[in-house]
Amino acid sequence: MMKKKVYFLLPGLTFGGAERIIFTLLNHLDEDKYEFTLLLFKNVDFPTLELKKNIKVRELGIERIRFSVLKILPIIHKEKPDIFFSGWGEISAFMSPFIPFLKSTKFISRETNVVSEHVSRKEIKFFYNFYNNYHRIIAQSDDMRKDLIDNFNIKDEIITKINNPVDFDFIDGKLNISVKPESFKYNYKNVVAIGNLSARKGFDNLLKVFSRLKNENVLLHILGDGQDKEVLLQMKDFLGLKNVIFHGKQDNPYQFLKYADLFILSSRYEGFPNVLLEAGACGTYSLANNCPGGINEIIQHQVNGEISDIENYEEFSLKIMKVLQGNYDRDGIRNSIRSRFSKDIILDKYEKVLLDLMK
């Protein structure tokens, strides 16, 4: 049987949640059925050397997303892949008007966020008027699916909900080489938060919460980098938060999760947060802000975590202290994630989408 050509498209400028999902798909989907090509705007931070050797990687040299179609569309027209999979919502939006002119290819878009929360620019929202041109749209959560239907009039029948996969083999490999971070003080509870330092991730709210915990033996370790770093550091100094440590981006964040007493997700909105899944895969209990983006699909109350409103700073701080006094079954937390989001379960769903489009 002749292999089907499947092209994936990503910016490649970071290795965040969307990139990790495509990385997992490329390395684990059936290579006997498909011939994979990964197109990257620029290969800045994508671990291409860790991909299977039969996967083709092409760098397009694209500087700006809005002009990306000028390079991408001629490739699709000339090479006629059977399936074109866009892994980034903004790129997908710009491409959507042109899909009807490329009849040899079936198009999939994987949305990365709750669109009405994430996309604010009118010129980008305009392109969602053409989103029904996609043959299939992958929504990571029920919140994302409902948003597409209610706010953008996307046809329900072209949306498939597929949660994000967790690669336990990869994570366990990282955990096996993890040692306790030196910054984890003896006789202190260590709380970890991870994410891009941007408004979306709500670290400003988290700092306000920890301003109420200054007299407690609790340390907050924030991992990540981003445009709001200086503002958050100034806020930390202004609030006098000696119990908050910014660690920057870490090659192995799993060593922090492995030894953490609690993981906190402070986001204002999400798509389907990989970091919350990964915290659970490390056996770490979570406290998550009650925000859109599938949080209630991941958290099983008092099994792998709890949900609370972070903008009620006093109540959230009291919730932290209460959770830190509890004892939680780390194996039970891991099993809660594995039984629903292991890569084999999720990859089967992606495989079904590909097969359905090939009929």
Side-chain angles (χ1 to χ4, degrees):
M1 185 179 73
M2 193 169 178
K3 292 183 181 181
K4 300 295 184 181
K5 292 196 297 184
V6 182
Y7 285 23
F8 287 85
L9 176 67
L10 282 171
L13 304 176
T14 64
F15 193 62
E19 290 78 12
R20 289 201 297 275
I21 300 307
I22 301 304
F23 178 86
T24 300
L25 293 177
L26 285 167
N27 269 345
H28 294 288
L29 285 171
D30 192 344
E31 59 190 302
D32 293 328
K33 295 178 184 173
Y34 307 107
E35 179 184 299
F36 296 117
T37 298
L38 173 63
L39 304 177
L40 298 173
F41 285 16
K42 282 194 166 184
N43 192 0
V44 174
D45 201 23
F46 201 94
T48 49
L49 294 177
E50 296 177 34
L51 289 170
K52 287 182 178 177
K53 299 207 181 313
N54 62 321
I55 295 167
K56 300 171 187 173
V57 180
R58 287 159 62 182
E59 189 173 354
L60 303 179
I62 293 172
E63 297 288 343
R64 309 248 336 246
I65 286 178
R66 68 175 59 195
F67 302 123
S68 61
V69 292
L70 300 176
K71 283 203 173 184
I72 297 164
L73 294 176
I75 292 172
I76 300 172
H77 181 259
K78 180 181 178 182
E79 301 179 18
K80 295 178 171 54
D82 296 288
I83 294 176
F84 191 91
F85 189 120
S86 174
W88 195 264
E90 196 168 328
I91 303 167
S92 299
F94 286 129
M95 289 184 60
S96 59
F98 305 98
I99 290 174
F101 304 102
L102 299 160
K103 297 185 183 299
S104 298
T105 299
K106 298 290 180 67
F107 286 81
I108 302 173
S109 171
R110 177 183 174 275
E111 267 302 333
T112 50
N113 287 291
V114 175
V115 178
S116 63
E117 296 276 354
H118 186 67
V119 178
S120 57
R121 288 159 55 193
K122 290 182 180 178
E123 64 268 30
I124 298 175
K125 282 189 174 180
F126 166 77
F127 283 92
Y128 279 89
N129 291 318
F130 304 95
Y131 227 50
N132 279 310
N133 287 336
Y134 276 93
H135 299 92
R136 194 63 53 89
I137 297 169
I138 307 296
Q140 302 168 46
S141 64
D142 291 327
D143 288 340
M144 190 181 292
R145 179 180 202 139
K146 187 174 187 301
D147 180 63
L148 288 170
I149 295 169
D150 292 350
N151 296 316
F152 298 92
N153 297 313
I154 307 302
K155 293 181 287 190
D156 182 51
E157 59 266 27
I158 68 170
I159 304 174
T160 298
K161 187 189 84 167
I162 305 180
N163 300 136
N164 289 347
V166 182
D167 190 340
F168 274 83
D169 295 331
F170 173 79
I171 291 174
D172 286 346
K174 293 290 188 181
L175 293 178
N176 288 337
I177 60 171
S178 293
V179 296
K180 191 171 186 177
E182 292 181 4
S183 56
F184 279 31
K185 288 184 182 179
Y186 179 70
N187 270 349
Y188 276 73
K189 294 290 186 179
N190 292 281
V191 176
V192 171
I194 302 174
N196 183 272
L197 303 184
S198 62
R200 169 190 165 187
K201 296 298 183 181
F203 290 122
D204 55 325
N205 283 328
L206 190 53
L207 293 183
K208 291 173 185 175
V209 168
F210 266 77
S211 71
R212 287 147 173 84
L213 299 175
K214 285 192 280 191
N215 297 321
E216 305 289 346
N217 282 7
V218 180
L219 293 177
L220 172 61
H221 305 266
I222 297 178
L223 281 59
D225 209 342
Q227 61 187 19
D228 287 354
K229 180 178 179 179
E230 290 305 317
V231 172
L232 291 169
L233 287 173
Q234 290 173 19
M235 186 175 177
K236 171 194 165 177
D237 290 342
F238 177 77
L239 294 173
L241 300 180
K242 295 179 180 179
N243 58 339
V244 175
I245 305 168
F246 284 86
H247 292 275
K249 191 174 179 181
Q250 295 292 310
D251 291 333
N252 184 11
Y254 305 103
Q255 74 178 111
F256 286 82
L257 290 173
K258 178 179 180 178
Y259 292 97
D261 297 291
L262 175 66
F263 172 76
I264 291 181
L265 185 86
S266 56
S267 301
R268 288 182 164 89
Y269 64 91
E270 281 287 349
F272 196 79
N274 290 311
V275 67
L276 189 57
L277 297 171
E278 291 174 342
C282 294
T284 302
Y285 200 78
S286 295
L287 179 59
N289 181 34
N290 187 17
C291 69
I295 308 301
N296 57 355
E297 296 179 50
I298 299 172
I299 294 293
Q300 292 182 320
H301 184 62
Q302 294 185 344
V303 175
N304 66 342
E306 299 173 34
I307 300 171
S308 188
D309 181 3
I310 199 168
E311 292 191 7
N312 189 331
Y313 308 126
E314 189 66 36
E315 184 178 311
F316 202 89
S317 66
L318 292 173
K319 178 74 77 172
I320 290 172
M321 294 309 299
K322 183 178 179 182
V323 169
L324 289 174
Q325 292 167 12
N327 292 309
Y328 304 98
D329 180 2
R330 297 187 78 90
D331 288 336
I333 294 170
R334 279 171 56 87
N335 289 336
S336 168
I337 300 300
R338 189 195 299 273
S339 64
R340 296 175 293 147
F341 308 114
S342 69
K343 71 174 185 289
D344 293 334
I345 293 171
I346 304 303
L347 287 169
D348 281 348
K349 296 180 180 181
Y350 274 101
E351 182 87 30
K352 186 176 186 304
V353 168
L354 296 179
L355 290 173
D356 285 347
L357 288 180
M358 290 293 93
K359 288 179 181 176

